[in-house]
């Protein structure tokens, strides 16, 4: 059991016709954050939801809303997602021309800033960002879809970023997203991750299974 590990179910795997109820169900089942995947059909080959849906879901949970922005351009939408009730805004360096400026913009909105690295993006990308971010997200699949297989070599990247974070002495969450299940969750935790995003593995089996799924992902 790892009490410090946070579980952030990705609502991409929820029943979209009952999203409010689904968010309430994962909240009651003991999730730590609610992970919202925002996709534009341009930066990634899928389209999901926008700030209106974040705003509509906000009253359904008191847990932090962790909004993963897979959109380009991204800067023009930060204010809208902040106003909609996001607590954490996570951005890809490839989604805009000036990632450092984007991080500062998020912080100026009073929100936590996350930077996300695609499987092909090196940890080195963080060298001059680590002093400013609240969260680093390592993608263990290529972004766009739920239900993909965990890319094992990302464990090495998690280990490298864990060292970088510890060296910084700052309070930074290290999150992993994609293909997290009961087998890969312990591997990601052992590599140094402390927040696990899980879509398929959380929502499998329907609402009566959510609490057990979350507990098992946490390592309990
Ligand atoms: C992928 C998304 C993930 C995805 C995870 O682009 O960022 O959050 O929903 O889904 P699973 O847990 O099913 O791999
Ligand atoms: Zn995500």
């Amino acid at each position: 059991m790892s009490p410090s590990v946070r579980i952030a179910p990705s609502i991409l795997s929820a029943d979209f016709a009952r999203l409010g109820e689904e968010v309430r169900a994962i909240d009651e089942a003991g999730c730590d954050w609610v992970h919202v995947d925002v996709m534009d059909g341009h930066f990634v080959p899928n389209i999901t939801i926008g700030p209106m849906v974040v705003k509509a879901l906000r009253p359904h949970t008191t847990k932090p809303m962790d909004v993963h922005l897979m959109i380009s351009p991204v800067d023009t939408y930060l204010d809208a997602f902040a106003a909609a009730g996001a607590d954490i805004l996570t951005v890809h360096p490839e989604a805009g021309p000036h990632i450092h400026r984007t991080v500062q913009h998020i912080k100026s909105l009073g929100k936590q800033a996350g930077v996300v690295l695609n499987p092909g993006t090196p940890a080195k990308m963080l060298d001059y960002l680590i002093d400013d971010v609240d969260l680093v997200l390592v993608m263990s699949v290529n972004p766009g879809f739920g239900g993909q297989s965990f890319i094992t070599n990302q464990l090495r990247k998690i280990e490298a970023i864990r060292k970088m974070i510890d060296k910084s002495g700052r309070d930074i969450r290290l999150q992993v997203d994609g293909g997290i299940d009961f087998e890969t969750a312990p591997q990601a935790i052992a590599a140094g991750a402390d927040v696990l995003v899980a879509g398929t593995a959380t929502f499998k089996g329907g609402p009566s299974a959510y609490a057990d799924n979350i507990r098992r992902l946490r390592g309990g």
Side-chain angles (χ1 to χ4, degrees), residues 3-119:
S4 59
V5 172
R6 293 172 170 82
I7 304 298
S10 161
I11 60 168
L12 193 59
S13 298
D15 178 350
F16 268 43
R18 304 170 38 251
L19 265 188
E21 280 167 61
E22 290 276 69
V23 165
R24 284 204 305 280
I26 53 171
D27 181 320
E28 284 161 20
C31 78
D32 297 284
W33 298 354
V34 175
H35 185 83
V36 182
D37 286 306
V38 178
M39 305 184 186
D40 65 354
H42 166 73
F43 184 68
V44 290
N46 196 5
I47 301 177
T48 56
I49 63 176
M52 287 171 68
V53 177
V54 172
K55 187 177 177 193
L57 293 176
R58 184 65 277 185
H60 292 270
T61 181
T62 54
K63 309 276 168 83
M65 287 186 87
D66 165 34
V67 178
H68 176 189
L69 297 170
M70 290 162 274
I71 58 175
S72 178
V74 64
D75 296 313
T76 34
Y77 295 99
L78 296 173
D79 293 55
F81 281 102
D87 298 284
I88 304 160
L89 291 170
T90 303
V91 290
H92 288 251
E94 298 87 353
H98 307 289
I99 183 64
H100 189 277
R101 175 177 284 149
T102 303
V103 166
Q104 303 307 326
H105 184 164
I106 294 169
K107 290 167 67 167
S108 76
L109 295 168
K111 304 299 177 182
Q112 293 196 41
V115 167
V116 45
L117 305 184
N118 279 331

